[in-house]
mmCIF file with all atom_site columns, all heavy atoms in Angstrom:
data_model
loop_
_atom_site.group_PDB
_atom_site.id
_atom_site.type_symbol
_atom_site.label_atom_id
_atom_site.label_alt_id
_atom_site.label_comp_id
_atom_site.label_asym_id
_atom_site.label_entity_id
_atom_site.label_seq_id
_atom_site.pdbx_PDB_ins_code
_atom_site.Cartn_x
_atom_site.Cartn_y
_atom_site.Cartn_z
_atom_site.occupancy
_atom_site.B_iso_or_equiv
_atom_site.pdbx_formal_charge
_atom_site.auth_seq_id
_atom_site.auth_comp_id
_atom_site.auth_asym_id
_atom_site.auth_atom_id
_atom_site.pdbx_PDB_model_num
ATOM 1   N N   . GLY Q 1 55  ? 109.973 103.026 23.469 1.00 97.00 ? 55  GLY Q N   1
ATOM 2   C CA  . GLY Q 1 55  ? 109.108 104.090 24.056 1.00 97.00 ? 55  GLY Q CA  1
ATOM 3   C C   . GLY Q 1 55  ? 108.920 103.864 25.462 1.00 97.00 ? 55  GLY Q C   1
ATOM 4   O O   . GLY Q 1 55  ? 109.631 103.305 26.142 1.00 97.00 ? 55  GLY Q O   1
ATOM 5   N N   . TYR Q 1 57  ? 108.905 104.785 29.559 1.00 97.00 ? 57  TYR Q N   1
ATOM 6   C CA  . TYR Q 1 57  ? 110.024 105.210 30.331 1.00 97.00 ? 57  TYR Q CA  1
ATOM 7   C C   . TYR Q 1 57  ? 111.149 104.242 30.241 1.00 97.00 ? 57  TYR Q C   1
ATOM 8   O O   . TYR Q 1 57  ? 110.845 103.079 30.143 1.00 97.00 ? 57  TYR Q O   1
ATOM 9   C CB  . TYR Q 1 57  ? 109.556 105.401 31.869 1.00 97.00 ? 57  TYR Q CB  1
ATOM 10  C CG  . TYR Q 1 57  ? 108.505 106.551 32.004 1.00 97.00 ? 57  TYR Q CG  1
ATOM 11  C CD1 . TYR Q 1 57  ? 107.477 106.305 32.799 1.00 97.00 ? 57  TYR Q CD1 1
ATOM 12  C CD2 . TYR Q 1 57  ? 108.666 107.784 31.488 1.00 97.00 ? 57  TYR Q CD2 1
ATOM 13  C CE1 . TYR Q 1 57  ? 106.506 107.200 32.832 1.00 97.00 ? 57  TYR Q CE1 1
ATOM 14  C CE2 . TYR Q 1 57  ? 107.787 108.771 31.565 1.00 97.00 ? 57  TYR Q CE2 1
ATOM 15  C CZ  . TYR Q 1 57  ? 106.709 108.597 32.438 1.00 97.00 ? 57  TYR Q CZ  1
ATOM 16  O OH  . TYR Q 1 57  ? 105.716 109.571 32.544 1.00 97.00 ? 57  TYR Q OH  1
ATOM 17  N N   . LEU Q 1 105 ? 112.739 95.811  24.663 1.00 98.00 ? 105 LEU Q N   1
ATOM 18  C CA  . LEU Q 1 105 ? 112.707 97.367  24.777 1.00 98.00 ? 105 LEU Q CA  1
ATOM 19  C C   . LEU Q 1 105 ? 111.983 97.873  23.324 1.00 98.00 ? 105 LEU Q C   1
ATOM 20  O O   . LEU Q 1 105 ? 111.460 98.947  23.371 1.00 98.00 ? 105 LEU Q O   1
ATOM 21  C CB  . LEU Q 1 105 ? 114.091 97.948  24.888 1.00 98.00 ? 105 LEU Q CB  1
ATOM 22  C CG  . LEU Q 1 105 ? 114.898 97.459  26.117 1.00 98.00 ? 105 LEU Q CG  1
ATOM 23  C CD1 . LEU Q 1 105 ? 116.165 98.269  26.355 1.00 98.00 ? 105 LEU Q CD1 1
ATOM 24  C CD2 . LEU Q 1 105 ? 114.003 97.520  27.488 1.00 98.00 ? 105 LEU Q CD2 1
ATOM 25  N N   . GLY Q 1 115 ? 107.091 91.338  24.569 1.00 98.00 ? 115 GLY Q N   1
ATOM 26  C CA  . GLY Q 1 115 ? 106.682 92.661  24.183 1.00 98.00 ? 115 GLY Q CA  1
ATOM 27  C C   . GLY Q 1 115 ? 105.622 93.254  25.053 1.00 98.00 ? 115 GLY Q C   1
ATOM 28  O O   . GLY Q 1 115 ? 105.185 94.391  24.846 1.00 98.00 ? 115 GLY Q O   1
ATOM 29  N N   . ARG Q 1 116 ? 105.127 92.491  25.972 1.00 98.00 ? 116 ARG Q N   1
ATOM 30  C CA  . ARG Q 1 116 ? 104.018 92.957  26.841 1.00 98.00 ? 116 ARG Q CA  1
ATOM 31  C C   . ARG Q 1 116 ? 104.505 93.930  27.924 1.00 98.00 ? 116 ARG Q C   1
ATOM 32  O O   . ARG Q 1 116 ? 103.779 94.688  28.418 1.00 98.00 ? 116 ARG Q O   1
ATOM 33  C CB  . ARG Q 1 116 ? 103.285 91.915  27.417 1.00 98.00 ? 116 ARG Q CB  1
ATOM 34  C CG  . ARG Q 1 116 ? 102.035 91.173  26.664 1.00 98.00 ? 116 ARG Q CG  1
ATOM 35  C CD  . ARG Q 1 116 ? 102.497 90.713  25.425 1.00 98.00 ? 116 ARG Q CD  1
ATOM 36  N NE  . ARG Q 1 116 ? 101.394 90.041  24.651 1.00 98.00 ? 116 ARG Q NE  1
ATOM 37  C CZ  . ARG Q 1 116 ? 101.586 89.367  23.408 1.00 98.00 ? 116 ARG Q CZ  1
ATOM 38  N NH1 . ARG Q 1 116 ? 102.749 89.278  22.960 1.00 98.00 ? 116 ARG Q NH1 1
ATOM 39  N NH2 . ARG Q 1 116 ? 100.516 88.761  22.996 1.00 98.00 ? 116 ARG Q NH2 1
ATOM 40  N N   . HIS Q 1 121 ? 109.551 96.346  32.816 1.00 98.00 ? 121 HIS Q N   1
ATOM 41  C CA  . HIS Q 1 121 ? 108.883 95.075  33.249 1.00 98.00 ? 121 HIS Q CA  1
ATOM 42  C C   . HIS Q 1 121 ? 109.503 93.866  32.572 1.00 98.00 ? 121 HIS Q C   1
ATOM 43  O O   . HIS Q 1 121 ? 108.750 93.106  31.872 1.00 98.00 ? 121 HIS Q O   1
ATOM 44  C CB  . HIS Q 1 121 ? 107.285 95.189  32.849 1.00 98.00 ? 121 HIS Q CB  1
ATOM 45  C CG  . HIS Q 1 121 ? 106.663 96.397  33.483 1.00 98.00 ? 121 HIS Q CG  1
ATOM 46  N ND1 . HIS Q 1 121 ? 105.894 97.289  32.605 1.00 98.00 ? 121 HIS Q ND1 1
ATOM 47  C CD2 . HIS Q 1 121 ? 106.464 96.819  34.770 1.00 98.00 ? 121 HIS Q CD2 1
ATOM 48  C CE1 . HIS Q 1 121 ? 105.483 98.242  33.445 1.00 98.00 ? 121 HIS Q CE1 1
ATOM 49  N NE2 . HIS Q 1 121 ? 105.778 98.080  34.662 1.00 98.00 ? 121 HIS Q NE2 1
ATOM 50  N N   . GLY Q 1 197 ? 116.883 109.931 44.317 1.00 98.00 ? 197 GLY Q N   1
ATOM 51  C CA  . GLY Q 1 197 ? 115.576 109.371 43.882 1.00 98.00 ? 197 GLY Q CA  1
ATOM 52  C C   . GLY Q 1 197 ? 115.148 110.533 42.956 1.00 98.00 ? 197 GLY Q C   1
ATOM 53  O O   . GLY Q 1 197 ? 114.668 111.521 43.408 1.00 98.00 ? 197 GLY Q O   1
ATOM 54  N N   . GLY Q 1 199 ? 115.411 113.607 41.498 1.00 98.00 ? 199 GLY Q N   1
ATOM 55  C CA  . GLY Q 1 199 ? 116.208 114.804 41.870 1.00 98.00 ? 199 GLY Q CA  1
ATOM 56  C C   . GLY Q 1 199 ? 116.457 114.909 43.378 1.00 98.00 ? 199 GLY Q C   1
ATOM 57  O O   . GLY Q 1 199 ? 117.152 115.815 43.858 1.00 98.00 ? 199 GLY Q O   1
ATOM 58  N N   . THR Q 1 200 ? 115.940 114.082 44.133 1.00 98.00 ? 200 THR Q N   1
ATOM 59  C CA  . THR Q 1 200 ? 115.917 114.032 45.640 1.00 98.00 ? 200 THR Q CA  1
ATOM 60  C C   . THR Q 1 200 ? 117.063 113.320 46.257 1.00 98.00 ? 200 THR Q C   1
ATOM 61  O O   . THR Q 1 200 ? 117.297 112.276 45.943 1.00 98.00 ? 200 THR Q O   1
ATOM 62  C CB  . THR Q 1 200 ? 114.660 113.482 46.249 1.00 98.00 ? 200 THR Q CB  1
ATOM 63  O OG1 . THR Q 1 200 ? 113.506 114.210 45.666 1.00 98.00 ? 200 THR Q OG1 1
ATOM 64  C CG2 . THR Q 1 200 ? 114.569 113.812 47.712 1.00 98.00 ? 200 THR Q CG2 1
ATOM 65  N N   . GLN Q 1 358 ? 88.955  95.831  12.970 1.00 87.00 ? 358 GLN Q N   1
ATOM 66  C CA  . GLN Q 1 358 ? 88.535  97.215  13.221 1.00 87.00 ? 358 GLN Q CA  1
ATOM 67  C C   . GLN Q 1 358 ? 89.477  98.254  12.981 1.00 87.00 ? 358 GLN Q C   1
ATOM 68  O O   . GLN Q 1 358 ? 89.491  99.303  12.376 1.00 87.00 ? 358 GLN Q O   1
ATOM 69  C CB  . GLN Q 1 358 ? 87.968  97.447  14.640 1.00 87.00 ? 358 GLN Q CB  1
ATOM 70  C CG  . GLN Q 1 358 ? 86.882  98.534  14.756 1.00 87.00 ? 358 GLN Q CG  1
ATOM 71  C CD  . GLN Q 1 358 ? 86.476  98.500  16.186 1.00 87.00 ? 358 GLN Q CD  1
ATOM 72  O OE1 . GLN Q 1 358 ? 86.126  97.535  16.905 1.00 87.00 ? 358 GLN Q OE1 1
ATOM 73  N NE2 . GLN Q 1 358 ? 86.491  99.731  16.801 1.00 87.00 ? 358 GLN Q NE2 1
ATOM 74  N N   . GLY Q 1 361 ? 90.074  99.584  9.994  1.00 54.00 ? 361 GLY Q N   1
ATOM 75  C CA  . GLY Q 1 361 ? 89.302  100.746 9.832  1.00 54.00 ? 361 GLY Q CA  1
ATOM 76  C C   . GLY Q 1 361 ? 89.916  101.892 10.585 1.00 54.00 ? 361 GLY Q C   1
ATOM 77  O O   . GLY Q 1 361 ? 89.181  102.816 10.814 1.00 54.00 ? 361 GLY Q O   1
ATOM 78  N N   . GLY Q 1 362 ? 91.080  101.748 11.053 1.00 48.00 ? 362 GLY Q N   1
ATOM 79  C CA  . GLY Q 1 362 ? 91.797  102.766 11.763 1.00 48.00 ? 362 GLY Q CA  1
ATOM 80  C C   . GLY Q 1 362 ? 91.316  103.133 13.063 1.00 48.00 ? 362 GLY Q C   1
ATOM 81  O O   . GLY Q 1 362 ? 90.133  103.250 13.313 1.00 48.00 ? 362 GLY Q O   1
ATOM 82  N N   . ARG Q 1 363 ? 92.311  102.915 14.072 1.00 47.00 ? 363 ARG Q N   1
ATOM 83  C CA  . ARG Q 1 363 ? 91.786  103.196 15.457 1.00 47.00 ? 363 ARG Q CA  1
ATOM 84  C C   . ARG Q 1 363 ? 92.696  104.330 15.961 1.00 47.00 ? 363 ARG Q C   1
ATOM 85  O O   . ARG Q 1 363 ? 93.825  104.585 15.708 1.00 47.00 ? 363 ARG Q O   1
ATOM 86  C CB  . ARG Q 1 363 ? 92.101  101.933 16.214 1.00 47.00 ? 363 ARG Q CB  1
ATOM 87  C CG  . ARG Q 1 363 ? 91.401  102.069 17.742 1.00 47.00 ? 363 ARG Q CG  1
ATOM 88  C CD  . ARG Q 1 363 ? 91.739  101.073 18.633 1.00 47.00 ? 363 ARG Q CD  1
ATOM 89  N NE  . ARG Q 1 363 ? 90.930  101.031 19.888 1.00 47.00 ? 363 ARG Q NE  1
ATOM 90  C CZ  . ARG Q 1 363 ? 89.952  100.136 20.012 1.00 47.00 ? 363 ARG Q CZ  1
ATOM 91  N NH1 . ARG Q 1 363 ? 89.640  99.375  19.070 1.00 47.00 ? 363 ARG Q NH1 1
ATOM 92  N NH2 . ARG Q 1 363 ? 89.345  100.232 21.188 1.00 47.00 ? 363 ARG Q NH2 1
ATOM 93  N N   . GLU R 2 30  ? 109.285 115.678 43.760 1.00 98.00 ? 30  GLU R N   1
ATOM 94  C CA  . GLU R 2 30  ? 110.020 116.285 42.579 1.00 98.00 ? 30  GLU R CA  1
ATOM 95  C C   . GLU R 2 30  ? 109.457 117.532 42.072 1.00 98.00 ? 30  GLU R C   1
ATOM 96  O O   . GLU R 2 30  ? 109.607 117.851 40.915 1.00 98.00 ? 30  GLU R O   1
ATOM 97  C CB  . GLU R 2 30  ? 110.296 115.230 41.587 1.00 98.00 ? 30  GLU R CB  1
ATOM 98  C CG  . GLU R 2 30  ? 110.957 114.036 41.923 1.00 98.00 ? 30  GLU R CG  1
ATOM 99  C CD  . GLU R 2 30  ? 112.305 114.131 42.611 1.00 98.00 ? 30  GLU R CD  1
ATOM 100 O OE1 . GLU R 2 30  ? 112.946 115.128 42.253 1.00 98.00 ? 30  GLU R OE1 1
ATOM 101 O OE2 . GLU R 2 30  ? 112.768 113.215 43.258 1.00 98.00 ? 30  GLU R OE2 1
ATOM 102 N N   . LYS R 2 33  ? 112.913 121.322 43.162 1.00 97.00 ? 33  LYS R N   1
ATOM 103 C CA  . LYS R 2 33  ? 114.171 121.347 42.632 1.00 97.00 ? 33  LYS R CA  1
ATOM 104 C C   . LYS R 2 33  ? 113.991 120.714 41.209 1.00 97.00 ? 33  LYS R C   1
ATOM 105 O O   . LYS R 2 33  ? 114.794 121.248 40.274 1.00 97.00 ? 33  LYS R O   1
ATOM 106 C CB  . LYS R 2 33  ? 115.181 120.636 43.445 1.00 97.00 ? 33  LYS R CB  1
ATOM 107 C CG  . LYS R 2 33  ? 116.493 120.688 43.094 1.00 97.00 ? 33  LYS R CG  1
ATOM 108 C CD  . LYS R 2 33  ? 117.457 120.079 44.036 1.00 97.00 ? 33  LYS R CD  1
ATOM 109 C CE  . LYS R 2 33  ? 117.062 118.707 44.716 1.00 97.00 ? 33  LYS R CE  1
ATOM 110 N NZ  . LYS R 2 33  ? 118.251 117.942 45.158 1.00 97.00 ? 33  LYS R NZ  1
ATOM 111 N N   . PHE R 2 34  ? 113.380 119.647 41.026 1.00 97.00 ? 34  PHE R N   1
ATOM 112 C CA  . PHE R 2 34  ? 113.220 118.946 39.826 1.00 97.00 ? 34  PHE R CA  1
ATOM 113 C C   . PHE R 2 34  ? 112.247 119.719 38.790 1.00 97.00 ? 34  PHE R C   1
ATOM 114 O O   . PHE R 2 34  ? 112.237 119.400 37.658 1.00 97.00 ? 34  PHE R O   1
ATOM 115 C CB  . PHE R 2 34  ? 112.709 117.558 40.026 1.00 97.00 ? 34  PHE R CB  1
ATOM 116 C CG  . PHE R 2 34  ? 112.899 116.557 38.920 1.00 97.00 ? 34  PHE R CG  1
ATOM 117 C CD1 . PHE R 2 34  ? 114.060 115.675 39.017 1.00 97.00 ? 34  PHE R CD1 1
ATOM 118 C CD2 . PHE R 2 34  ? 111.901 116.436 37.959 1.00 97.00 ? 34  PHE R CD2 1
ATOM 119 C CE1 . PHE R 2 34  ? 114.085 114.827 37.874 1.00 97.00 ? 34  PHE R CE1 1
ATOM 120 C CE2 . PHE R 2 34  ? 112.085 115.408 36.907 1.00 97.00 ? 34  PHE R CE2 1
ATOM 121 C CZ  . PHE R 2 34  ? 113.187 114.619 36.829 1.00 97.00 ? 34  PHE R CZ  1
ATOM 122 N N   . TYR R 2 38  ? 106.387 116.659 35.190 1.00 97.00 ? 38  TYR R N   1
ATOM 123 C CA  . TYR R 2 38  ? 105.695 117.119 33.984 1.00 97.00 ? 38  TYR R CA  1
ATOM 124 C C   . TYR R 2 38  ? 105.668 118.612 33.812 1.00 97.00 ? 38  TYR R C   1
ATOM 125 O O   . TYR R 2 38  ? 104.859 119.170 33.256 1.00 97.00 ? 38  TYR R O   1
ATOM 126 C CB  . TYR R 2 38  ? 104.371 116.412 33.765 1.00 97.00 ? 38  TYR R CB  1
ATOM 127 C CG  . TYR R 2 38  ? 104.405 114.945 33.804 1.00 97.00 ? 38  TYR R CG  1
ATOM 128 C CD1 . TYR R 2 38  ? 104.049 114.219 35.029 1.00 97.00 ? 38  TYR R CD1 1
ATOM 129 C CD2 . TYR R 2 38  ? 105.003 114.214 32.867 1.00 97.00 ? 38  TYR R CD2 1
ATOM 130 C CE1 . TYR R 2 38  ? 104.154 112.854 35.118 1.00 97.00 ? 38  TYR R CE1 1
ATOM 131 C CE2 . TYR R 2 38  ? 105.182 112.771 32.912 1.00 97.00 ? 38  TYR R CE2 1
ATOM 132 C CZ  . TYR R 2 38  ? 104.764 112.268 33.998 1.00 97.00 ? 38  TYR R CZ  1
ATOM 133 O OH  . TYR R 2 38  ? 104.964 110.729 34.120 1.00 97.00 ? 38  TYR R OH  1
ATOM 134 N N   . ILE R 2 58  ? 109.624 109.628 48.790 1.00 98.00 ? 58  ILE R N   1
ATOM 135 C CA  . ILE R 2 58  ? 108.582 108.789 48.174 1.00 98.00 ? 58  ILE R CA  1
ATOM 136 C C   . ILE R 2 58  ? 107.901 108.126 49.217 1.00 98.00 ? 58  ILE R C   1
ATOM 137 O O   . ILE R 2 58  ? 108.312 107.022 49.865 1.00 98.00 ? 58  ILE R O   1
ATOM 138 C CB  . ILE R 2 58  ? 109.306 107.732 47.316 1.00 98.00 ? 58  ILE R CB  1
ATOM 139 C CG1 . ILE R 2 58  ? 110.275 108.504 46.263 1.00 98.00 ? 58  ILE R CG1 1
ATOM 140 C CG2 . ILE R 2 58  ? 108.181 107.010 46.471 1.00 98.00 ? 58  ILE R CG2 1
ATOM 141 C CD1 . ILE R 2 58  ? 111.143 107.580 45.510 1.00 98.00 ? 58  ILE R CD1 1
ATOM 142 N N   . THR R 2 128 ? 101.554 99.378  34.278 1.00 98.00 ? 128 THR R N   1
ATOM 143 C CA  . THR R 2 128 ? 101.541 99.941  35.597 1.00 98.00 ? 128 THR R CA  1
ATOM 144 C C   . THR R 2 128 ? 101.509 101.466 35.588 1.00 98.00 ? 128 THR R C   1
ATOM 145 O O   . THR R 2 128 ? 101.393 102.200 36.596 1.00 98.00 ? 128 THR R O   1
ATOM 146 C CB  . THR R 2 128 ? 102.771 99.538  36.348 1.00 98.00 ? 128 THR R CB  1
ATOM 147 O OG1 . THR R 2 128 ? 103.925 100.104 35.621 1.00 98.00 ? 128 THR R OG1 1
ATOM 148 C CG2 . THR R 2 128 ? 102.919 98.062  36.673 1.00 98.00 ? 128 THR R CG2 1
ATOM 149 N N   . HIS R 2 129 ? 101.611 102.108 34.260 1.00 98.00 ? 129 HIS R N   1
ATOM 150 C CA  . HIS R 2 129 ? 101.760 103.522 34.288 1.00 98.00 ? 129 HIS R CA  1
ATOM 151 C C   . HIS R 2 129 ? 100.735 104.159 33.357 1.00 98.00 ? 129 HIS R C   1
ATOM 152 O O   . HIS R 2 129 ? 100.988 105.132 32.762 1.00 98.00 ? 129 HIS R O   1
ATOM 153 C CB  . HIS R 2 129 ? 103.251 104.009 33.822 1.00 98.00 ? 129 HIS R CB  1
ATOM 154 C CG  . HIS R 2 129 ? 104.159 104.047 34.892 1.00 98.00 ? 129 HIS R CG  1
ATOM 155 N ND1 . HIS R 2 129 ? 104.406 102.761 35.699 1.00 98.00 ? 129 HIS R ND1 1
ATOM 156 C CD2 . HIS R 2 129 ? 104.900 104.922 35.419 1.00 98.00 ? 129 HIS R CD2 1
ATOM 157 C CE1 . HIS R 2 129 ? 105.315 103.066 36.540 1.00 98.00 ? 129 HIS R CE1 1
ATOM 158 N NE2 . HIS R 2 129 ? 105.744 104.293 36.467 1.00 98.00 ? 129 HIS R NE2 1
ATOM 159 N N   . TYR R 2 301 ? 102.854 96.950  26.531 1.00 98.00 ? 301 TYR R N   1
ATOM 160 C CA  . TYR R 2 301 ? 103.803 97.866  26.049 1.00 98.00 ? 301 TYR R CA  1
ATOM 161 C C   . TYR R 2 301 ? 103.936 98.017  24.557 1.00 98.00 ? 301 TYR R C   1
ATOM 162 O O   . TYR R 2 301 ? 104.065 99.198  24.105 1.00 98.00 ? 301 TYR R O   1
ATOM 163 C CB  . TYR R 2 301 ? 105.215 97.417  26.694 1.00 98.00 ? 301 TYR R CB  1
ATOM 164 C CG  . TYR R 2 301 ? 106.383 98.235  26.059 1.00 98.00 ? 301 TYR R CG  1
ATOM 165 C CD1 . TYR R 2 301 ? 106.595 99.523  26.466 1.00 98.00 ? 301 TYR R CD1 1
ATOM 166 C CD2 . TYR R 2 301 ? 107.233 97.591  25.092 1.00 98.00 ? 301 TYR R CD2 1
ATOM 167 C CE1 . TYR R 2 301 ? 107.729 100.213 25.940 1.00 98.00 ? 301 TYR R CE1 1
ATOM 168 C CE2 . TYR R 2 301 ? 108.343 98.364  24.512 1.00 98.00 ? 301 TYR R CE2 1
ATOM 169 C CZ  . TYR R 2 301 ? 108.601 99.673  24.995 1.00 98.00 ? 301 TYR R CZ  1
ATOM 170 O OH  . TYR R 2 301 ? 109.599 100.201 24.405 1.00 98.00 ? 301 TYR R OH  1
ATOM 171 N N   . ALA R 2 302 ? 103.972 96.936  23.782 1.00 98.00 ? 302 ALA R N   1
ATOM 172 C CA  . ALA R 2 302 ? 104.138 96.931  22.411 1.00 98.00 ? 302 ALA R CA  1
ATOM 173 C C   . ALA R 2 302 ? 103.165 97.978  21.760 1.00 98.00 ? 302 ALA R C   1
ATOM 174 O O   . ALA R 2 302 ? 102.095 98.041  21.994 1.00 98.00 ? 302 ALA R O   1
ATOM 175 C CB  . ALA R 2 302 ? 103.960 95.644  21.741 1.00 98.00 ? 302 ALA R CB  1
ATOM 176 N N   . LYS R 2 304 ? 101.737 98.553  18.963 1.00 97.00 ? 304 LYS R N   1
ATOM 177 C CA  . LYS R 2 304 ? 100.572 98.213  18.225 1.00 97.00 ? 304 LYS R CA  1
ATOM 178 C C   . LYS R 2 304 ? 99.470  97.647  19.230 1.00 97.00 ? 304 LYS R C   1
ATOM 179 O O   . LYS R 2 304 ? 98.216  97.976  19.189 1.00 97.00 ? 304 LYS R O   1
ATOM 180 C CB  . LYS R 2 304 ? 100.826 97.118  17.194 1.00 97.00 ? 304 LYS R CB  1
ATOM 181 C CG  . LYS R 2 304 ? 101.346 97.620  15.861 1.00 97.00 ? 304 LYS R CG  1
ATOM 182 C CD  . LYS R 2 304 ? 101.240 96.636  14.730 1.00 97.00 ? 304 LYS R CD  1
ATOM 183 C CE  . LYS R 2 304 ? 101.841 97.074  13.390 1.00 97.00 ? 304 LYS R CE  1
ATOM 184 N NZ  . LYS R 2 304 ? 102.755 96.173  12.823 1.00 97.00 ? 304 LYS R NZ  1
ATOM 185 N N   . ALA R 2 308 ? 95.889  99.415  19.967 1.00 97.00 ? 308 ALA R N   1
ATOM 186 C CA  . ALA R 2 308 ? 94.673  98.743  19.787 1.00 97.00 ? 308 ALA R CA  1
ATOM 187 C C   . ALA R 2 308 ? 93.822  98.780  21.109 1.00 97.00 ? 308 ALA R C   1
ATOM 188 O O   . ALA R 2 308 ? 92.610  98.449  20.950 1.00 97.00 ? 308 ALA R O   1
ATOM 189 C CB  . ALA R 2 308 ? 95.057  97.301  19.291 1.00 97.00 ? 308 ALA R CB  1
ATOM 190 N N   . LYS R 2 310 ? 93.465  101.313 23.271 1.00 97.00 ? 310 LYS R N   1
ATOM 191 C CA  . LYS R 2 310 ? 92.989  102.502 23.677 1.00 97.00 ? 310 LYS R CA  1
ATOM 192 C C   . LYS R 2 310 ? 91.860  102.985 22.804 1.00 97.00 ? 310 LYS R C   1
ATOM 193 O O   . LYS R 2 310 ? 91.769  102.780 21.628 1.00 97.00 ? 310 LYS R O   1
ATOM 194 C CB  . LYS R 2 310 ? 93.951  103.594 23.686 1.00 97.00 ? 310 LYS R CB  1
ATOM 195 C CG  . LYS R 2 310 ? 95.204  103.319 24.728 1.00 97.00 ? 310 LYS R CG  1
ATOM 196 C CD  . LYS R 2 310 ? 96.331  104.285 24.535 1.00 97.00 ? 310 LYS R CD  1
ATOM 197 C CE  . LYS R 2 310 ? 97.502  104.000 25.434 1.00 97.00 ? 310 LYS R CE  1
ATOM 198 N NZ  . LYS R 2 310 ? 98.659  104.760 25.057 1.00 97.00 ? 310 LYS R NZ  1
ATOM 199 N N   . GLN R 2 314 ? 88.125  106.912 15.831 1.00 97.00 ? 314 GLN R N   1
ATOM 200 C CA  . GLN R 2 314 ? 87.491  106.024 14.911 1.00 97.00 ? 314 GLN R CA  1
ATOM 201 C C   . GLN R 2 314 ? 86.426  105.187 15.658 1.00 97.00 ? 314 GLN R C   1
ATOM 202 O O   . GLN R 2 314 ? 85.329  104.805 15.303 1.00 97.00 ? 314 GLN R O   1
ATOM 203 C CB  . GLN R 2 314 ? 88.505  105.072 14.239 1.00 97.00 ? 314 GLN R CB  1
ATOM 204 C CG  . GLN R 2 314 ? 87.868  104.316 13.086 1.00 97.00 ? 314 GLN R CG  1
ATOM 205 C CD  . GLN R 2 314 ? 87.117  105.150 12.164 1.00 97.00 ? 314 GLN R CD  1
ATOM 206 O OE1 . GLN R 2 314 ? 87.643  105.989 11.641 1.00 97.00 ? 314 GLN R OE1 1
ATOM 207 N NE2 . GLN R 2 314 ? 85.814  104.883 11.759 1.00 97.00 ? 314 GLN R NE2 1
ATOM 208 N N   . ASP R 2 315 ? 86.891  104.855 16.874 1.00 97.00 ? 315 ASP R N   1
ATOM 209 C CA  . ASP R 2 315 ? 85.971  103.929 17.708 1.00 97.00 ? 315 ASP R CA  1
ATOM 210 C C   . ASP R 2 315 ? 84.667  104.801 18.135 1.00 97.00 ? 315 ASP R C   1
ATOM 211 O O   . ASP R 2 315 ? 83.562  104.189 17.986 1.00 97.00 ? 315 ASP R O   1
ATOM 212 C CB  . ASP R 2 315 ? 86.610  103.614 18.987 1.00 97.00 ? 315 ASP R CB  1
ATOM 213 C CG  . ASP R 2 315 ? 87.931  102.815 18.805 1.00 97.00 ? 315 ASP R CG  1
ATOM 214 O OD1 . ASP R 2 315 ? 87.878  101.802 18.054 1.00 97.00 ? 315 ASP R OD1 1
ATOM 215 O OD2 . ASP R 2 315 ? 88.950  103.214 19.246 1.00 97.00 ? 315 ASP R OD2 1
#
Side-chain angles (χ1 to χ4, degrees):
Chain Q
Y57 292 133
L105 306 190
R116 271 62 172 182
H121 307 123
T200 306
Q358 202 179 318
R363 197 193 187 96
Chain R
E30 308 297 340
K33 189 176 36 159
F34 195 93
Y38 304 105
I58 306 172
T128 61
H129 279 56
Y301 166 77
K304 281 197 180 135
K310 293 176 186 167
Q314 189 56 52
D315 304 304

